[in-house]
Amino acid sequence: MRSPLRSATPVGLVALLALSGCGFSGEEGGAARAADREQRIVVDNFRAPVADWALESDAAYILSLSGCLETLTRYDEAAGEIVPALATEWEQVSPLEWEFTLREGVRFQDGTALTADAVVTSLRTVLDAEVPARAFSPAVVSGVEAVDERTVRITTPSESPLVPYRLASVNTGVLAPAAFEGGSVDPFGHCTGPFTPVSEQPKQSLTVDRNEDYWGGEVQLAGAEVRFITDGATRATQVQTGEADVSLSIPAANVAALEADSAVEVLKAESPRTATLYMNNGRAPFDDVDFRKAVRSALDLDALAASVYEGAALPATGPFAPSEPWATEGAEAPQQDADAAKELLAAAGYTAERPLEIIAIVERAEFADVATVIQENLKSVGVPVTITTKEYAAVEPDLLAGDYDMVLSQRNRLIDIADPIGFLTADYTCEGTYNLSHFCDEDYDRLVAQAAGTADTEQRYELYARAGEILEEQAVNVWLVNEQAVDAVRADLQNHRQDPLSRYVLRAETTKPAS
Protein backbone atom coordinates (compact mmCIF):
# COMPACT_ATOMS: atom_id res chain seq x y z
CA MET A 1 0.00 0.00 0.00
CA ARG A 2 1.38 3.38 -0.98
CA SER A 3 1.49 6.50 1.10
CA PRO A 4 -0.95 9.27 0.30
CA LEU A 5 0.68 11.82 -2.00
CA ARG A 6 -0.75 14.83 -0.18
CA SER A 7 2.07 14.75 2.30
CA ALA A 8 4.64 15.37 -0.41
CA THR A 9 5.05 19.04 -1.26
CA PRO A 10 6.65 19.53 -4.69
CA VAL A 11 10.20 20.80 -4.38
CA GLY A 12 10.44 24.39 -5.49
CA LEU A 13 6.79 24.78 -6.37
CA VAL A 14 6.15 26.98 -3.39
CA ALA A 15 8.96 29.24 -4.54
CA LEU A 16 7.59 29.32 -8.05
CA LEU A 17 4.21 30.51 -6.92
CA ALA A 18 5.52 32.75 -4.18
CA LEU A 19 3.05 35.56 -4.17
CA SER A 20 3.71 39.24 -4.14
CA GLY A 21 0.80 41.15 -2.72
CA CYS A 22 -1.46 38.14 -3.22
CA GLY A 23 -3.06 38.28 0.17
CA PHE A 24 -4.99 41.51 0.44
CA SER A 25 -6.95 42.31 3.58
CA GLY A 26 -8.16 45.71 2.48
CA GLU A 27 -7.39 47.00 5.93
CA GLU A 28 -7.14 50.74 6.30
CA GLY A 29 -4.65 51.94 8.86
CA GLY A 30 -4.15 48.38 10.09
CA ALA A 31 -7.77 47.77 11.23
CA ALA A 32 -10.42 46.10 9.10
CA ARG A 33 -13.87 47.72 9.11
CA ALA A 34 -16.90 45.70 10.17
CA ALA A 35 -18.25 43.60 7.33
CA ASP A 36 -21.71 44.29 5.96
CA ARG A 37 -23.34 40.94 5.09
CA GLU A 38 -25.79 42.70 2.77
CA GLN A 39 -22.99 43.77 0.44
CA ARG A 40 -22.67 42.43 -3.08
CA ILE A 41 -19.61 42.92 -5.29
CA VAL A 42 -18.78 42.98 -9.00
CA VAL A 43 -15.96 40.91 -10.52
CA ASP A 44 -14.71 41.64 -14.04
CA ASN A 45 -13.43 38.45 -15.65
CA PHE A 46 -11.52 38.34 -18.91
CA ARG A 47 -13.51 35.59 -20.61
CA ALA A 48 -17.07 34.37 -21.02
CA PRO A 49 -18.37 30.82 -20.59
CA VAL A 50 -18.69 28.63 -23.65
CA ALA A 51 -20.17 25.25 -24.53
CA ASP A 52 -23.30 25.54 -22.35
CA TRP A 53 -21.33 25.29 -19.09
CA ALA A 54 -19.76 21.94 -20.04
CA LEU A 55 -17.35 21.03 -17.25
CA GLU A 56 -14.69 19.85 -19.66
CA SER A 57 -14.55 23.34 -21.18
CA ASP A 58 -13.14 26.62 -19.88
CA ALA A 59 -16.61 27.33 -18.45
CA ALA A 60 -15.47 25.31 -15.43
CA TYR A 61 -12.99 28.08 -14.57
CA ILE A 62 -15.82 30.62 -14.42
CA LEU A 63 -17.95 28.36 -12.22
CA SER A 64 -14.93 27.90 -9.95
CA LEU A 65 -13.93 31.56 -9.63
CA SER A 66 -17.61 32.40 -9.06
CA GLY A 67 -17.63 30.28 -5.89
CA CYS A 68 -19.96 27.65 -7.33
CA LEU A 69 -17.92 24.65 -8.47
CA GLU A 70 -15.71 22.64 -6.09
CA THR A 71 -13.39 19.69 -6.56
CA LEU A 72 -12.37 16.64 -4.53
CA THR A 73 -8.91 18.06 -3.91
CA ARG A 74 -7.63 21.59 -4.17
CA TYR A 75 -4.28 23.11 -5.03
CA ASP A 76 -3.35 25.57 -2.30
CA GLU A 77 -1.58 28.34 -4.17
CA ALA A 78 0.06 29.76 -1.05
CA ALA A 79 1.28 26.48 0.44
CA GLY A 80 2.11 24.98 -2.95
CA GLU A 81 0.48 21.63 -2.22
CA ILE A 82 -2.64 19.58 -2.78
CA VAL A 83 -5.08 19.90 0.15
CA PRO A 84 -8.49 18.37 1.00
CA ALA A 85 -11.67 19.85 -0.46
CA LEU A 86 -14.75 17.66 -1.09
CA ALA A 87 -12.50 14.68 -0.30
CA THR A 88 -10.81 14.57 3.08
CA GLU A 89 -8.17 11.96 2.29
CA TRP A 90 -6.88 9.83 -0.54
CA GLU A 91 -4.61 6.87 -0.99
CA GLN A 92 -2.96 4.91 -3.78
CA VAL A 93 -4.26 1.40 -3.00
CA SER A 94 -2.57 -0.38 -5.93
CA PRO A 95 -0.24 0.65 -8.77
CA LEU A 96 -3.25 1.61 -10.94
CA GLU A 97 -5.84 2.62 -8.34
CA TRP A 98 -6.44 5.61 -6.06
CA GLU A 99 -9.30 5.92 -3.57
CA PHE A 100 -10.78 9.21 -2.34
CA THR A 101 -12.87 9.49 0.83
CA LEU A 102 -15.65 12.08 0.59
CA ARG A 103 -16.25 14.75 3.23
CA GLU A 104 -19.29 14.09 5.43
CA GLY A 105 -22.21 16.48 5.66
CA VAL A 106 -21.83 18.14 2.26
CA ARG A 107 -24.98 18.87 0.29
CA PHE A 108 -25.45 20.24 -3.19
CA GLN A 109 -27.29 23.51 -3.47
CA ASP A 110 -30.45 21.59 -4.51
CA GLY A 111 -30.44 19.87 -1.11
CA THR A 112 -29.25 16.44 -2.26
CA ALA A 113 -26.30 14.80 -0.54
CA LEU A 114 -22.78 14.53 -1.90
CA THR A 115 -22.33 10.79 -2.45
CA ALA A 116 -19.86 8.62 -4.30
CA ASP A 117 -22.48 7.89 -6.97
CA ALA A 118 -23.00 11.62 -7.53
CA VAL A 119 -19.25 12.18 -7.89
CA VAL A 120 -18.97 9.29 -10.33
CA THR A 121 -21.81 10.70 -12.47
CA SER A 122 -20.10 14.09 -12.64
CA LEU A 123 -16.60 12.77 -13.36
CA ARG A 124 -17.78 10.32 -16.00
CA THR A 125 -19.51 13.14 -17.83
CA VAL A 126 -16.14 14.84 -18.23
CA LEU A 127 -14.35 11.59 -19.02
CA ASP A 128 -16.91 10.66 -21.71
CA ALA A 129 -17.01 14.11 -23.33
CA GLU A 130 -16.36 14.34 -27.04
CA VAL A 131 -13.40 16.58 -26.23
CA PRO A 132 -12.39 15.56 -22.67
CA ALA A 133 -10.63 17.91 -20.29
CA ARG A 134 -6.87 18.07 -20.69
CA ALA A 135 -6.31 17.00 -17.06
CA PHE A 136 -8.93 14.25 -16.95
CA SER A 137 -9.20 12.28 -20.18
CA PRO A 138 -9.27 8.56 -21.11
CA ALA A 139 -5.57 8.88 -21.93
CA VAL A 140 -4.77 9.31 -18.23
CA VAL A 141 -7.86 7.95 -16.44
CA SER A 142 -9.38 4.59 -17.39
CA GLY A 143 -12.15 4.29 -14.83
CA VAL A 144 -14.23 5.98 -12.12
CA GLU A 145 -16.40 3.95 -9.75
CA ALA A 146 -18.10 4.11 -6.36
CA VAL A 147 -16.60 1.68 -3.84
CA ASP A 148 -19.19 2.57 -1.20
CA GLU A 149 -21.30 5.61 -0.36
CA ARG A 150 -18.30 7.76 0.57
CA THR A 151 -15.42 6.26 -1.43
CA VAL A 152 -14.58 6.92 -5.08
CA ARG A 153 -11.99 4.85 -6.91
CA ILE A 154 -10.00 6.27 -9.82
CA THR A 155 -8.22 3.81 -12.10
CA THR A 156 -5.39 4.79 -14.42
CA PRO A 157 -4.08 2.99 -17.53
CA SER A 158 -0.53 3.18 -16.16
CA GLU A 159 0.88 3.96 -12.73
CA SER A 160 0.41 7.64 -12.01
CA PRO A 161 1.63 9.51 -8.93
CA LEU A 162 -0.29 12.62 -9.96
CA VAL A 163 -3.93 11.56 -9.68
CA PRO A 164 -4.64 13.88 -6.67
CA TYR A 165 -3.33 16.76 -8.80
CA ARG A 166 -5.76 15.82 -11.58
CA LEU A 167 -8.68 15.81 -9.11
CA ALA A 168 -7.80 19.43 -8.22
CA SER A 169 -8.42 20.54 -11.80
CA VAL A 170 -11.51 22.72 -12.01
CA ASN A 171 -12.64 20.54 -14.91
CA THR A 172 -13.22 17.76 -12.36
CA GLY A 173 -15.59 19.92 -10.32
CA VAL A 174 -18.60 18.06 -8.96
CA LEU A 175 -22.23 18.91 -9.72
CA ALA A 176 -25.39 17.19 -8.51
CA PRO A 177 -26.78 14.44 -10.80
CA ALA A 178 -29.73 16.70 -11.69
CA ALA A 179 -27.27 19.01 -13.47
CA PHE A 180 -26.85 16.43 -16.21
CA GLU A 181 -30.49 15.46 -16.82
CA GLY A 182 -31.06 17.84 -19.73
CA GLY A 183 -29.31 18.21 -23.04
CA SER A 184 -26.68 20.48 -21.53
CA VAL A 185 -25.02 20.98 -18.15
CA ASP A 186 -27.10 23.02 -15.69
CA PRO A 187 -25.00 24.42 -12.81
CA PHE A 188 -27.86 26.51 -11.39
CA GLY A 189 -28.58 25.16 -7.91
CA HIS A 190 -26.36 22.13 -8.44
CA CYS A 191 -22.98 23.19 -7.01
CA THR A 192 -21.55 22.74 -3.50
CA GLY A 193 -19.65 26.04 -3.22
CA PRO A 194 -20.21 29.18 -1.12
CA PHE A 195 -22.21 30.89 -3.88
CA THR A 196 -25.23 29.74 -5.88
CA PRO A 197 -25.71 30.87 -9.50
CA VAL A 198 -29.17 32.42 -9.84
CA SER A 199 -29.25 34.14 -13.25
CA GLU A 200 -27.20 34.59 -16.40
CA GLN A 201 -27.01 37.21 -19.11
CA PRO A 202 -25.49 35.18 -21.97
CA LYS A 203 -21.99 36.39 -22.88
CA GLN A 204 -22.40 39.28 -20.40
CA SER A 205 -22.61 38.19 -16.76
CA LEU A 206 -23.45 35.59 -14.12
CA THR A 207 -25.19 36.55 -10.87
CA VAL A 208 -24.67 34.48 -7.71
CA ASP A 209 -26.24 34.58 -4.23
CA ARG A 210 -24.86 33.44 -0.90
CA ASN A 211 -25.21 29.70 -0.21
CA GLU A 212 -26.80 29.81 3.25
CA ASP A 213 -25.98 26.14 3.87
CA TYR A 214 -22.36 26.13 2.77
CA TRP A 215 -20.41 23.26 4.34
CA GLY A 216 -17.27 25.41 4.62
CA GLY A 217 -18.67 28.00 7.05
CA GLU A 218 -20.61 31.24 6.98
CA VAL A 219 -20.49 33.14 3.70
CA GLN A 220 -19.95 36.86 4.25
CA LEU A 221 -21.12 38.50 1.02
CA ALA A 222 -24.79 38.50 0.03
CA GLY A 223 -23.78 37.79 -3.55
CA ALA A 224 -21.93 39.03 -6.60
CA GLU A 225 -22.08 39.69 -10.31
CA VAL A 226 -19.34 38.21 -12.47
CA ARG A 227 -19.06 40.17 -15.69
CA PHE A 228 -17.44 38.82 -18.83
CA ILE A 229 -15.36 41.66 -20.27
CA THR A 230 -12.73 40.69 -22.81
CA ASP A 231 -11.34 44.23 -23.19
CA GLY A 232 -8.58 44.75 -20.64
CA ALA A 233 -8.75 48.54 -20.70
CA THR A 234 -12.44 48.38 -19.82
CA ARG A 235 -11.71 46.08 -16.89
CA ALA A 236 -9.10 48.53 -15.64
CA THR A 237 -11.45 51.48 -16.00
CA GLN A 238 -14.30 49.79 -14.16
CA VAL A 239 -12.22 48.96 -11.08
CA GLN A 240 -10.87 52.51 -11.02
CA THR A 241 -14.33 54.10 -11.23
CA GLY A 242 -15.73 51.71 -8.62
CA GLU A 243 -18.08 50.01 -11.05
CA ALA A 244 -16.19 46.78 -10.33
CA ASP A 245 -14.63 45.60 -7.06
CA VAL A 246 -12.24 43.10 -8.65
CA SER A 247 -10.79 43.18 -12.17
CA LEU A 248 -8.71 40.24 -13.32
CA SER A 249 -5.77 40.30 -15.70
CA ILE A 250 -4.91 43.99 -15.92
CA PRO A 251 -2.96 44.98 -19.08
CA ALA A 252 0.55 46.34 -18.52
CA ALA A 253 -0.43 49.67 -20.07
CA ASN A 254 -2.99 50.30 -17.29
CA VAL A 255 -0.93 49.25 -14.27
CA ALA A 256 0.79 52.58 -13.59
CA ALA A 257 -2.47 54.54 -13.50
CA LEU A 258 -4.07 52.05 -11.13
CA GLU A 259 -1.04 51.99 -8.85
CA ALA A 260 -1.29 55.78 -8.54
CA ASP A 261 -4.92 55.56 -7.39
CA SER A 262 -5.27 55.19 -3.60
CA ALA A 263 -8.75 53.69 -4.01
CA VAL A 264 -7.32 50.71 -5.87
CA GLU A 265 -4.85 48.00 -4.87
CA VAL A 266 -2.85 46.34 -7.66
CA LEU A 267 -1.97 42.73 -6.86
CA LYS A 268 0.94 41.00 -8.59
CA ALA A 269 2.14 37.41 -8.41
CA GLU A 270 4.75 35.37 -10.16
CA SER A 271 2.89 33.25 -12.64
CA PRO A 272 3.79 30.16 -14.68
CA ARG A 273 2.34 31.95 -17.68
CA THR A 274 4.30 32.65 -20.86
CA ALA A 275 3.20 34.76 -23.81
CA THR A 276 3.95 32.57 -26.82
CA LEU A 277 4.13 32.88 -30.58
CA TYR A 278 2.63 29.55 -31.59
CA MET A 279 3.78 28.25 -34.96
CA ASN A 280 1.89 25.62 -36.92
CA ASN A 281 4.58 22.91 -37.15
CA GLY A 282 2.25 20.87 -39.35
CA ARG A 283 2.11 23.35 -42.21
CA ALA A 284 4.72 24.86 -44.54
CA PRO A 285 6.90 26.78 -44.08
CA PHE A 286 6.74 26.06 -40.32
CA ASP A 287 7.19 22.31 -40.87
CA ASP A 288 10.91 23.05 -41.41
CA VAL A 289 12.88 23.45 -38.17
CA ASP A 290 15.29 25.86 -39.87
CA PHE A 291 12.40 28.18 -40.70
CA ARG A 292 11.15 28.06 -37.13
CA LYS A 293 14.65 28.83 -35.85
CA ALA A 294 14.83 31.73 -38.32
CA VAL A 295 11.66 33.22 -36.84
CA ARG A 296 13.15 32.89 -33.36
CA SER A 297 16.42 34.53 -34.43
CA ALA A 298 14.57 37.42 -36.07
CA LEU A 299 12.73 38.47 -32.91
CA ASP A 300 14.03 40.96 -30.36
CA LEU A 301 12.59 39.68 -27.08
CA ASP A 302 14.50 42.19 -24.94
CA ALA A 303 12.95 45.11 -26.80
CA LEU A 304 9.55 43.45 -26.70
CA ALA A 305 9.64 43.07 -22.92
CA ALA A 306 10.89 46.62 -22.41
CA SER A 307 8.45 48.31 -24.78
CA VAL A 308 5.10 46.55 -24.95
CA TYR A 309 5.31 45.10 -21.43
CA GLU A 310 7.01 48.21 -20.00
CA GLY A 311 9.40 46.02 -18.02
CA ALA A 312 6.57 44.13 -16.28
CA ALA A 313 7.64 40.87 -17.96
CA LEU A 314 10.99 39.23 -18.64
CA PRO A 315 12.22 37.77 -21.94
CA ALA A 316 11.48 34.04 -21.95
CA THR A 317 14.32 31.52 -21.87
CA GLY A 318 12.22 28.68 -23.23
CA PRO A 319 9.00 26.85 -22.33
CA PHE A 320 9.68 27.30 -18.58
CA ALA A 321 10.55 30.35 -16.50
CA PRO A 322 14.07 30.27 -14.99
CA SER A 323 12.60 30.26 -11.44
CA GLU A 324 10.76 26.98 -12.03
CA PRO A 325 12.40 23.91 -10.49
CA TRP A 326 12.13 21.98 -13.77
CA ALA A 327 13.75 24.68 -15.93
CA THR A 328 17.16 24.07 -17.49
CA GLU A 329 19.79 25.65 -15.28
CA GLY A 330 21.56 28.57 -16.91
CA ALA A 331 19.17 28.88 -19.85
CA GLU A 332 19.24 32.32 -21.46
CA ALA A 333 16.75 34.17 -23.62
CA PRO A 334 17.51 33.95 -27.36
CA GLN A 335 19.09 37.09 -28.78
CA GLN A 336 18.05 38.76 -32.01
CA ASP A 337 20.40 37.86 -34.87
CA ALA A 338 19.14 39.03 -38.26
CA ASP A 339 22.10 37.56 -40.17
CA ALA A 340 21.55 34.13 -38.63
CA ALA A 341 17.84 34.40 -39.42
CA LYS A 342 18.56 35.11 -43.09
CA GLU A 343 20.97 32.15 -43.29
CA LEU A 344 18.38 29.85 -41.74
CA LEU A 345 15.72 31.11 -44.16
CA ALA A 346 18.04 30.29 -47.05
CA ALA A 347 18.75 26.84 -45.59
CA ALA A 348 15.02 26.24 -45.39
CA GLY A 349 14.59 27.26 -49.03
CA TYR A 350 12.09 29.91 -47.99
CA THR A 351 10.66 32.27 -50.58
CA ALA A 352 8.11 34.92 -49.70
CA GLU A 353 5.37 33.56 -51.93
CA ARG A 354 2.57 34.72 -49.66
CA PRO A 355 2.32 36.82 -46.51
CA LEU A 356 2.10 34.74 -43.38
CA GLU A 357 -0.62 35.54 -40.87
CA ILE A 358 -0.39 36.24 -37.15
CA ILE A 359 -3.62 35.94 -35.17
CA ALA A 360 -3.62 38.10 -32.02
CA ILE A 361 -6.34 37.12 -29.56
CA VAL A 362 -8.22 40.17 -28.32
CA GLU A 363 -8.55 38.99 -24.70
CA ARG A 364 -4.95 40.08 -24.24
CA ALA A 365 -4.91 43.74 -25.21
CA GLU A 366 -1.12 43.90 -25.50
CA PHE A 367 -1.02 41.26 -28.21
CA ALA A 368 -1.98 43.77 -30.89
CA ASP A 369 1.23 45.68 -30.11
CA VAL A 370 3.24 42.46 -29.74
CA ALA A 371 2.07 41.39 -33.20
CA THR A 372 3.19 44.71 -34.65
CA VAL A 373 6.69 44.32 -33.18
CA ILE A 374 6.96 40.77 -34.54
CA GLN A 375 5.68 41.94 -37.92
CA GLU A 376 8.46 44.54 -38.12
CA ASN A 377 11.12 42.05 -36.91
CA LEU A 378 10.15 39.48 -39.55
CA LYS A 379 9.84 42.09 -42.29
CA SER A 380 13.45 43.08 -41.64
CA VAL A 381 14.63 39.57 -42.60
CA GLY A 382 12.32 39.24 -45.61
CA VAL A 383 9.26 37.51 -44.16
CA PRO A 384 6.03 39.44 -44.87
CA VAL A 385 3.32 39.11 -42.22
CA THR A 386 -0.28 40.24 -41.89
CA ILE A 387 -2.09 40.63 -38.54
CA THR A 388 -5.62 39.54 -37.66
CA THR A 389 -7.36 40.01 -34.29
CA LYS A 390 -9.99 37.54 -33.06
CA GLU A 391 -11.59 36.35 -29.85
CA TYR A 392 -10.02 33.13 -28.66
CA ALA A 393 -13.26 31.13 -28.64
CA ALA A 394 -13.80 31.98 -32.30
CA VAL A 395 -10.34 30.94 -33.42
CA GLU A 396 -9.75 27.82 -31.29
CA PRO A 397 -11.38 25.36 -33.74
CA ASP A 398 -9.03 26.53 -36.52
CA LEU A 399 -6.02 26.26 -34.18
CA LEU A 400 -6.87 22.70 -33.15
CA ALA A 401 -7.56 21.76 -36.79
CA GLY A 402 -4.20 23.17 -37.89
CA ASP A 403 -5.72 25.86 -40.10
CA TYR A 404 -3.47 28.79 -39.24
CA ASP A 405 0.12 30.08 -39.55
CA MET A 406 0.96 31.77 -36.25
CA VAL A 407 -1.09 32.80 -33.24
CA LEU A 408 -0.21 34.93 -30.26
CA SER A 409 -1.58 33.43 -27.09
CA GLN A 410 -0.50 32.74 -23.54
CA ARG A 411 -0.51 29.52 -21.58
CA ASN A 412 -0.46 28.92 -17.87
CA ARG A 413 1.57 25.75 -17.45
CA LEU A 414 -0.09 24.77 -14.18
CA ILE A 415 -3.69 25.62 -14.99
CA ASP A 416 -4.71 22.11 -16.06
CA ILE A 417 -3.05 20.45 -13.10
CA ALA A 418 -0.50 21.96 -10.74
CA ASP A 419 2.36 20.03 -12.29
CA PRO A 420 3.96 20.46 -15.75
CA ILE A 421 2.91 16.98 -16.85
CA GLY A 422 -0.46 18.34 -17.95
CA PHE A 423 1.09 21.08 -20.10
CA LEU A 424 3.83 18.89 -21.55
CA THR A 425 1.37 16.13 -22.43
CA ALA A 426 -1.60 18.08 -23.73
CA ASP A 427 0.37 20.70 -25.66
CA TYR A 428 3.24 18.81 -27.23
CA THR A 429 2.75 15.01 -27.44
CA CYS A 430 1.63 13.57 -30.76
CA GLU A 431 -1.83 12.76 -29.35
CA GLY A 432 -1.99 15.83 -27.12
CA THR A 433 -5.49 17.20 -26.80
CA TYR A 434 -4.30 20.82 -26.89
CA ASN A 435 -1.43 20.50 -29.35
CA LEU A 436 -1.91 23.87 -31.07
CA SER A 437 1.63 23.63 -32.50
CA HIS A 438 0.89 20.25 -34.12
CA PHE A 439 4.32 19.11 -32.98
CA CYS A 440 5.02 15.37 -32.96
CA ASP A 441 8.25 13.69 -31.86
CA GLU A 442 8.43 10.06 -30.68
CA ASP A 443 11.49 10.65 -28.48
CA TYR A 444 9.71 13.50 -26.76
CA ASP A 445 6.59 11.38 -26.23
CA ARG A 446 8.59 8.56 -24.65
CA LEU A 447 10.28 11.01 -22.30
CA VAL A 448 6.99 12.55 -21.17
CA ALA A 449 5.43 9.10 -20.66
CA GLN A 450 8.41 8.15 -18.47
CA ALA A 451 7.99 11.33 -16.44
CA ALA A 452 4.26 10.70 -15.96
CA GLY A 453 5.01 7.43 -14.18
CA THR A 454 7.92 8.71 -12.07
CA ALA A 455 6.92 9.18 -8.42
CA ASP A 456 10.27 10.63 -7.31
CA THR A 457 9.83 14.38 -7.58
CA GLU A 458 13.46 15.23 -8.31
CA GLN A 459 13.76 12.60 -11.02
CA ARG A 460 10.48 13.73 -12.58
CA TYR A 461 11.62 17.33 -12.67
CA GLU A 462 14.85 16.27 -14.42
CA LEU A 463 12.75 14.58 -17.11
CA TYR A 464 10.62 17.72 -17.46
CA ALA A 465 13.78 19.75 -17.99
CA ARG A 466 14.93 17.41 -20.77
CA ALA A 467 11.49 17.63 -22.40
CA GLY A 468 11.76 21.41 -22.35
CA GLU A 469 15.19 21.20 -23.97
CA ILE A 470 13.78 19.12 -26.84
CA LEU A 471 11.05 21.72 -27.43
CA GLU A 472 13.66 24.46 -27.48
CA GLU A 473 16.05 22.50 -29.74
CA GLN A 474 13.21 21.94 -32.19
CA ALA A 475 12.15 25.62 -31.97
CA VAL A 476 8.58 24.39 -31.71
CA ASN A 477 7.36 27.86 -30.74
CA VAL A 478 8.88 31.16 -29.75
CA TRP A 479 8.30 31.67 -26.03
CA LEU A 480 8.25 35.46 -25.82
CA VAL A 481 8.01 36.74 -22.24
CA ASN A 482 7.25 35.34 -18.80
CA GLU A 483 4.29 37.24 -17.40
CA GLN A 484 3.07 38.20 -13.97
CA ALA A 485 -0.51 37.70 -12.83
CA VAL A 486 -1.81 41.24 -12.31
CA ASP A 487 -5.25 41.90 -10.81
CA ALA A 488 -6.76 45.03 -9.28
CA VAL A 489 -9.23 45.34 -6.39
CA ARG A 490 -10.98 48.20 -4.65
CA ALA A 491 -9.19 49.18 -1.46
CA ASP A 492 -12.22 48.55 0.76
CA LEU A 493 -12.49 44.88 -0.21
CA GLN A 494 -11.44 42.65 2.68
CA ASN A 495 -10.07 39.11 2.95
CA HIS A 496 -9.48 38.84 -0.77
CA ARG A 497 -6.68 36.53 -1.88
CA GLN A 498 -5.24 36.65 -5.36
CA ASP A 499 -4.96 33.33 -7.12
CA PRO A 500 -2.18 33.52 -9.74
CA LEU A 501 -3.86 30.64 -11.55
CA SER A 502 -7.19 32.56 -11.79
CA ARG A 503 -9.38 29.76 -10.44
CA TYR A 504 -10.67 31.16 -7.13
CA VAL A 505 -12.00 34.69 -6.63
CA LEU A 506 -15.30 34.63 -4.74
CA ARG A 507 -14.62 32.95 -1.40
CA ALA A 508 -16.72 32.48 1.73
CA GLU A 509 -14.47 34.79 3.77
CA THR A 510 -14.45 37.75 1.34
CA THR A 511 -16.11 40.78 2.93
CA LYS A 512 -16.90 44.40 2.27
CA PRO A 513 -17.93 47.12 4.76
CA ALA A 514 -21.02 49.25 4.37
CA SER A 515 -20.70 51.98 1.77
Side-chain angles (χ1 to χ4, degrees):
M1 184 172 292
R2 313 298 177 87
S3 299
L5 184 65
R6 64 188 174 95
S7 62
T9 301
V11 175
L13 199 54
V14 177
L16 166 65
L17 293 177
L19 311 181
S20 173
C22 61
F24 175 61
S25 68
E27 296 176 357
E28 296 178 350
R33 296 159 59 191
D36 178 357
R37 295 190 76 244
E38 298 304 314
Q39 286 285 341
R40 306 179 70 91
I41 67 171
V42 173
V43 176
D44 282 357
N45 186 40
F46 51 87
R47 59 184 161 194
V50 296
D52 293 331
W53 298 109
L55 295 183
E56 68 273 14
S57 74
D58 284 350
Y61 293 94
I62 295 171
L63 293 177
S64 177
L65 73 85
S66 301
C68 166
L69 191 64
E70 296 184 313
T71 47
L72 294 190
T73 64
R74 182 182 177 108
Y75 180 72
D76 186 306
E77 62 273 18
E81 63 180 348
I82 297 296
V83 298
L86 295 180
T88 54
E89 57 184 18
W90 46 92
E91 187 173 23
Q92 188 174 13
V93 297
S94 79
L96 303 183
E97 295 174 312
W98 285 79
E99 290 185 354
F100 293 76
T101 302
L102 302 184
R103 185 180 297 277
E104 293 184 341
V106 178
R107 290 192 172 276
F108 293 103
Q109 293 163 357
D110 61 8
T112 58
L114 175 75
T115 64
D117 285 337
V119 173
V120 169
T121 297
S122 197
L123 293 180
R124 280 184 178 166
T125 299
V126 173
L127 202 58
D128 295 340
E130 184 176 351
V131 181
R134 294 187 288 266
F136 202 77
S137 73
V140 293
V141 174
S142 51
V144 181
E145 62 180 321
V147 177
D148 55 39
E149 188 173 357
R150 293 185 53 238
T151 307
V152 176
R153 179 180 295 156
I154 306 294
T155 307
T156 58
S158 58
E159 185 168 6
S160 172
L162 297 171
V163 170
Y165 284 77
R166 297 191 183 283
L167 271 299
S169 163
V170 295
N171 295 117
T172 64
V174 180
L175 296 176
F180 307 103
E181 291 178 351
S184 59
V185 175
D186 177 14
F188 288 78
H190 297 141
C191 294
T192 58
F195 292 95
T196 305
V198 292
S199 66
E200 175 190 9
Q201 294 292 325
K203 298 184 178 179
Q204 295 184 41
S205 66
L206 176 70
T207 298
V208 298
D209 284 349
R210 174 194 296 133
N211 177 5
E212 300 285 0
D213 300 317
Y214 181 50
W215 64 267
E218 193 173 52
V219 182
Q220 300 301 313
L221 291 171
E225 177 187 4
V226 179
R227 295 175 180 169
F228 314 133
I229 299 177
T230 57
D231 183 74
T234 300
R235 293 195 300 275
T237 298
Q238 289 200 350
V239 75
Q240 191 163 20
T241 60
E243 189 173 351
D245 298 275
V246 181
S247 285
L248 303 178
S249 191
I250 298 297
N254 298 95
V255 170
L258 292 178
E259 287 182 329
D261 189 334
S262 61
V264 176
E265 183 79 7
V266 177
L267 308 178
K268 299 178 181 177
E270 295 298 324
S271 169
R273 185 190 304 274
T274 300
T276 301
L277 177 66
Y278 287 85
M279 296 183 284
N280 185 352
N281 288 214
R283 182 158 97 177
F286 301 98
D287 57 353
D288 189 315
V289 65
D290 282 336
F291 183 82
R292 300 196 298 268
K293 289 181 177 178
V295 173
R296 184 174 62 189
S297 295
L299 303 189
D300 189 345
L301 304 190
D302 291 325
L304 188 67
S307 59
V308 177
Y309 290 88
E310 301 180 15
L314 296 174
T317 59
F320 305 127
S323 60
E324 297 176 33
W326 40 78
T328 299
E329 187 174 352
E332 297 181 353
Q335 297 298 302
Q336 185 183 40
D337 188 334
D339 290 338
K342 291 175 182 176
E343 291 177 5
L344 287 163
L345 289 173
Y350 171 75
T351 56
E353 296 178 350
R354 66 173 176 89
L356 302 175
E357 182 185 61
I358 295 178
I359 301 170
I361 61 171
V362 298
E363 286 86 344
R364 306 292 296 191
E366 66 273 19
F367 279 167
D369 293 333
V370 173
T372 300
V373 172
I374 293 174
Q375 183 184 47
E376 290 301 314
N377 286 167
L378 291 177
K379 180 182 177 182
S380 69
V381 297
V383 179
V385 169
T386 62
I387 299 172
T388 301
T389 56
K390 294 182 180 179
E391 290 190 2
Y392 180 77
V395 75
E396 186 180 69
D398 288 340
L399 303 182
L400 292 171
D403 186 18
Y404 79 101
D405 289 328
M406 294 176 281
V407 61
L408 276 169
S409 188
Q410 51 79 32
R411 181 82 160 102
N412 190 318
R413 288 177 289 281
L414 302 182
I415 195 67
D416 296 338
I417 65 172
D419 183 278
I421 194 65
F423 160 77
L424 292 172
T425 302
D427 290 35
Y428 295 108
T429 60
C430 296
E431 301 299 324
T433 56
Y434 195 64
N435 191 345
L436 302 186
S437 310
H438 298 272
F439 171 71
C440 181
D441 182 286
E442 293 182 355
D443 291 339
Y444 173 87
D445 281 13
R446 279 193 290 271
L447 192 68
V448 171
Q450 181 184 353
T454 301
D456 183 89
T457 302
E458 186 173 348
Q459 291 179 12
R460 194 168 70 250
Y461 287 1
E462 289 176 358
L463 294 170
Y464 292 160
R466 178 57 191 145
E469 290 167 3
I470 292 176
L471 298 178
E472 187 66 9
E473 290 164 3
Q474 294 294 315
V476 176
N477 293 317
V478 183
W479 292 276
L480 300 171
V481 297
N482 297 317
E483 300 181 1
Q484 285 186 311
V486 182
D487 303 330
V489 301
R490 297 293 296 176
D492 60 350
L493 194 66
Q494 299 176 159
N495 300 320
H496 172 79
R497 282 183 289 152
Q498 184 189 22
D499 175 12
L501 302 183
S502 301
R503 299 153 304 167
Y504 314 122
V505 176
L506 289 172
R507 306 177 193 244
E509 63 269 25
T510 303
T511 64
K512 188 176 179 181
S515 302

